[in-house]
Amino acid sequence: MTGSTTSGAAVADVHPAWLPDRAFAGIGGLRVAVIGDGDVVQTVRDEVERATARFGGALLHAAEGADLVLVAAAQAPGQLAPESFDVALDEDVVVVRAADGPALLYGLHHVVRHTAARDLAAAVGRTGFLGVHAPAEPIRMLDHWDNLTVHPVMGQVERGYSGDSIFWLDGRLRDDLGRVEEYARLLGSMAINRVAVNNVNVHAVEAHLLTDGLDDVATLAAAFRRHGIRTHLSVSFAAPMTVGGLATSDPLDDDVRAWWTRAAAAVWARIPDFGGFVVKADSEGQPGPFAYGRDHADGANLLARAVAPHGGTVFWRAFVYNHTQDWRDRSTDRARAAYDHFAPLDGRFDDNVVLQVKYGPMDFQTREPVSPVVAAMPRTRLAVELQVTQEYTGQQKHVCWLGPQWSELLGFRPWGAGTTVADVAGGHGPGGRAAGLVAVSNVGTDEFWTGHPLAQANLYAFGRLAWDPTLPATDVLDEWVDLTFGADDDVRDALHDVMDESWHTYEDYTAPLGVGFMVRPGHHYGPDVDGYEYTPWGTYHFADRDGIGVDRTRATGTGYTGQYPEPWRDVYERLETCPDELLLFFHHVPWTHVLHRGVSVAQHVYDTHFRGVDAVDAMAERWATMQGRVPDPFFDRVAQRLTEQQRGAREWRDQLNTYVLRKSGVPDAHGRRIH
Ligand code: GCU
């Protein structure tokens, strides 16, 4: 299977994902005018030229005689916010007026999405086609956890399930950047506007990117720039020592300040539109300001002041917790850590610091409550961090369509009513400080980009939900299917059958009721119920013969519920109101405790684990009907992965059910076989 770069050169072995030529059929037969200047406008022109050459239309340079007019920047009348575009009908000509080059690209793809399954006239009649379109989230960013070399334990891409890095090979930039160009094109089509190109765990080799690797970074930045995307680096807080040869990295030290100022100036001299730095500090062994008795506002502002003169942003991660905990110590609760460290610092971060907060208080689990940090820092720009790479959701071996999970958490109302999580990130929360969404990317050198071909939909959904978090996940899936496969009702129905409930199914056969972390330590794939129970990582479920779960109440537990505002601090505190799906996150209960749904915790585990395996079998059967309806290589890869998912789900079912039966002695009410 091949894709092709915007310059027209074919890239071997790259799947076109949601941008096959066919997706452009709706505009390709038209006379399309592209008006405006600049790199990204040129990308739009290249896309139109390619589509019209293929489907018999024409690229025009002036509006006269056009069916579709795409106008950028200076030519666009009226007030449009950056990155926004307006679609209007002028007589029977569709006119897209864009605020800038990137907005023109987003406008083009808006039309492409709406015409993938119908012609332009039919698209015009659809709700949501005409009118002003603006991104809800100003920052729509993908982080790559890519190492320059192959890490002995983690491989090249940390938590990557799709082959090697598309950027780096043997310590330097790859010679062939065809995939990077295709990737930038895919990201631009769904309005991603920032990427970070190396791992947040910055090893010695990657630390030097900041100084010795700038030519490589500049080359990447040029590829991304053509699609409206700014490039970022993850940097080590200890860089002044490890790269700069200083004796300290103390954020209040003058030499350290001067070093960062010089380092930033050199980066921006080489890459004038560079985006900024991503920093994981005092987290899982990464260096940080705590070593000097300084706090994280001191640390973040040190870098922020170095990059501010250049328009740069510092993405400072809130994933800070004690990873060398004593499991016997019941007073430490990892879930509390981000709030405890950061909420007191609200108001102290410079304007160009974005605090990057994982969506849940722990670590990208299948089910977690929304992080209480989201509601706690009105005077700080907060970006919510998601994980497109499926570290804890099946590692791109299992189908786990994450659109519904993200819709649910972005639509969560931290104060019970009104403002949503997406609103807070987008600057419509109490303090009005705007940032956006960041996610860990799931791509690699795999021929389908994502290992599991259906995981392409997760990448697509992240971009679309960052643009409009109120889009129903099911509509996003429709878009992805129509673009990827063309308008085919049978394929669309089958993919909904396989994917719509796949997150809930995954939850069914894995860790129950929000308890989290029952995975094999290290690689995190497959069940290991007690695998983390006596480790230093702070991820415990406390199961014994009587019960299971973590008491995070104020009354008798760690007090974590107190980090939430009303109503959630009380909703979660009380067994009577705590939602079933989060019960074991907040409470330690007997195996015989009866859920709102009317069965005991033990029985719930049995029921959901049997049900989950049945659902995976049904998914595999449904997918089998797609043979010959989707390209064979795609069909075969999904079928192979479903076989592994069937095996994996059975392993989870049998280990979980057996564990609960052995611990609790509660028999299955339906007498099913438990090992
Ligand atoms: C998880 C993941 C790590 C990663 C970390 C992070 O813990 O397992 O590989 O480094 O998250 O987000 O920094």
Side-chain angles (χ1 to χ4, degrees):
M1 221 164 282
T2 58
S4 42
T5 63
T6 36
S7 55
V11 182
D13 300 328
V14 177
H15 187 265
W18 54 87
L19 294 182
D21 285 351
R22 189 190 48 246
F24 293 79
I27 65 155
L30 306 175
R31 284 159 304 165
V32 185
V34 179
I35 303 167
D37 299 312
D39 287 345
V40 189
V41 174
Q42 187 54 43
T43 299
V44 173
R45 205 169 272 124
D46 291 345
E47 290 286 8
V48 169
E49 187 163 34
R50 176 167 142 182
T52 50
R54 166 88 198 264
F55 294 103
L59 167 68
L60 310 181
H61 300 280
E64 204 180 348
D67 310 300
L68 169 63
V69 179
L70 302 162
V71 202
Q75 283 83 1
Q79 298 286 312
L80 280 172
E83 301 192 303
S84 306
F85 62 91
D86 170 51
V87 186
L89 206 53
D90 183 359
E91 305 282 322
D92 50 3
V93 178
V94 172
V95 181
V96 177
R97 295 184 189 85
D100 44 41
L104 195 71
L105 183 64
Y106 309 154
L108 166 74
H109 284 285
H110 171 83
V111 178
V112 169
R113 263 196 304 280
H114 280 269
T115 55
R118 59 194 70 75
D119 65 21
L120 187 61
V124 168
R126 296 184 88 213
T127 319
F129 183 73
L130 297 176
V132 175
H133 300 271
E137 306 294 334
I139 288 168
R140 304 176 301 278
M141 177 166 182
L142 283 162
D143 283 0
H144 286 261
W145 287 356
D146 293 22
N147 299 312
L148 271 66
T149 55
V150 178
H151 186 276
V153 180
M154 293 292 177
Q156 191 179 14
V157 181
E158 182 162 321
R159 311 307 179 185
Y161 312 104
S162 317
D164 294 330
S165 169
I166 63 172
F167 306 130
W168 313 106
L169 180 69
D170 297 336
R172 55 181 294 270
L173 192 64
R174 287 177 177 275
D175 290 329
D176 178 0
L177 292 182
R179 271 173 187 269
V180 176
E181 287 178 29
E182 282 299 303
Y183 182 58
R185 178 175 178 245
L186 288 169
L187 299 195
S189 78
M190 38 115 173
I192 294 297
N193 59 7
R194 294 171 182 257
V195 294
V197 295
N198 64 305
N199 191 358
V200 287
N201 291 315
V202 184
H203 311 106
V205 177
E206 289 84 26
H208 284 269
L209 275 177
L210 179 59
T211 47
D212 310 333
L214 287 181
D215 286 345
D216 286 350
V217 181
T219 304
L220 284 179
F224 281 118
R225 179 180 302 121
R226 290 194 282 276
H227 300 269
I229 300 164
R230 292 172 79 182
T231 297
H232 303 64
L233 280 179
S234 295
V235 297
S236 165
F237 194 76
M241 299 162 78
T242 55
V243 180
L246 299 187
T248 177
S249 300
D250 184 347
L252 302 191
D253 181 277
D254 286 341
D255 290 341
V256 170
R257 277 201 206 110
W259 188 86
W260 279 111
T261 302
R262 280 197 309 277
V267 176
W268 267 272
R270 187 73 187 76
I271 311 164
D273 63 347
F274 187 72
F277 298 139
V278 179
V279 190
K280 173 176 178 177
D282 289 318
S283 173
E284 300 183 331
Q286 291 296 303
F290 285 162
Y292 308 97
R294 315 297 183 199
D295 64 31
H296 278 240
D298 297 327
N301 291 342
L302 163 75
L303 274 72
R305 284 164 202 176
V307 306
H310 314 287
T313 304
V314 171
F315 292 84
W316 192 267
R317 298 182 79 227
F319 185 57
V320 178
Y321 70 99
N322 177 3
H323 73 292
T324 56
Q325 194 187 320
D326 183 342
W327 59 268
R328 301 165 195 82
D329 168 15
R330 298 291 286 261
S331 68
T332 304
D333 178 6
R334 171 167 163 182
R336 293 188 57 113
Y339 181 104
D340 284 343
H341 285 301
F342 287 94
L345 303 180
D346 188 32
R348 287 208 28 228
F349 292 99
D350 284 3
D351 285 346
N352 61 332
V353 175
V354 168
L355 190 65
Q356 189 169 315
V357 185
K358 288 190 181 186
Y359 66 81
M362 294 296 281
D363 194 3
F364 300 136
Q365 298 300 289
T366 312
R367 177 76 70 172
E368 292 187 42
V370 162
S371 169
V373 176
V374 173
M377 303 189 64
R379 291 180 293 161
T380 305
R381 295 174 66 198
L382 292 184
V384 174
E385 184 178 332
L386 309 176
Q387 201 180 37
V388 182
T389 194
Q390 291 171 236
E391 175 177 1
Y392 294 102
T393 51
Q395 303 203 348
Q396 284 138 255
K397 294 193 172 82
H398 298 213
V399 181
C400 190
W401 157 236
L402 292 167
Q405 186 199 39
W406 300 335
S407 288
E408 191 172 303
L409 73 95
L410 293 170
F412 179 80
R413 300 180 195 279
W415 294 273
T419 309
T420 63
V421 169
D423 292 335
V424 174
H428 307 292
R433 312 294 315 272
L437 300 184
V438 181
V440 187
S441 180
N442 64 348
V443 306
T445 53
D446 170 61
E447 97 175 82
F448 294 99
W449 292 102
T450 50
H452 201 306
L454 300 184
Q456 291 177 5
N458 287 332
L459 184 62
Y460 181 79
F462 172 70
R464 297 293 292 135
L465 292 173
W467 180 273
D468 181 359
T470 67
L471 280 175
T474 182
D475 292 2
V476 175
L477 192 57
D478 279 344
E479 286 180 7
W480 177 76
V481 174
D482 286 352
L483 288 165
T484 305
F485 299 104
D488 179 330
D489 291 343
D490 290 345
V491 172
R492 199 186 301 120
D493 289 349
L495 283 163
H496 278 289
D497 289 347
V498 170
M499 294 169 76
D500 278 349
E501 282 301 310
S502 57
W503 169 48
H504 288 132
T505 294
Y506 188 79
E507 181 178 28
D508 271 353
Y509 63 76
T510 58
L513 301 167
V515 78
F517 283 97
M518 288 182 165
V519 289
R520 186 60 53 92
H523 57 57
H524 296 169
Y525 185 70
D528 188 346
V529 180
D530 282 336
Y532 270 107
E533 203 54 19
Y534 307 102
T535 69
W537 294 93
T539 45
Y540 316 120
H541 55 65
F542 301 117
D544 60 19
R545 64 182 182 177
D546 298 320
I548 182 169
V550 191
D551 184 353
R552 294 194 160 104
T553 64
R554 305 192 286 290
T556 53
T558 68
Y560 168 80
T561 57
Q563 295 186 340
Y564 289 92
E566 290 291 2
W568 301 111
R569 52 191 286 118
D570 291 336
V571 168
Y572 294 144
E573 174 81 9
R574 299 173 53 236
L575 271 176
E576 301 74 48
T577 49
C578 184
D580 282 350
E581 69 270 15
L582 290 170
L583 178 70
L584 302 182
F585 192 93
F586 287 103
H587 297 274
H588 186 88
V589 296
W591 293 107
T592 52
H593 171 85
V594 177
L595 302 173
H596 301 306
R597 60 171 285 248
V599 300
S600 70
V601 168
Q603 189 61 43
H604 173 86
V605 172
Y606 305 144
D607 290 350
T608 52
H609 285 75
F610 283 113
R611 180 174 78 187
V613 169
D614 290 347
V616 174
D617 288 347
M619 286 155 72
E621 269 176 42
R622 188 70 174 97
W623 181 253
T625 68
M626 284 298 98
Q627 187 153 27
R629 304 300 303 269
V630 298
D632 285 345
F634 195 104
F635 174 84
D636 291 344
R637 178 72 76 83
V638 174
Q640 284 158 17
R641 301 253 153 165
L642 277 163
T643 302
E644 165 57 16
Q645 186 168 0
Q646 288 177 290
R647 186 207 64 77
R650 281 175 169 72
E651 195 59 33
W652 271 100
R653 176 194 65 191
D654 292 342
Q655 289 203 26
L656 262 288
N657 285 349
T658 302
Y659 183 92
V660 172
L661 179 63
R662 287 183 186 173
K663 282 269 172 188
S664 71
V666 176
D668 172 31
H670 305 293
R672 289 163 292 195
R673 178 172 169 74
I674 291 173
H675 295 271

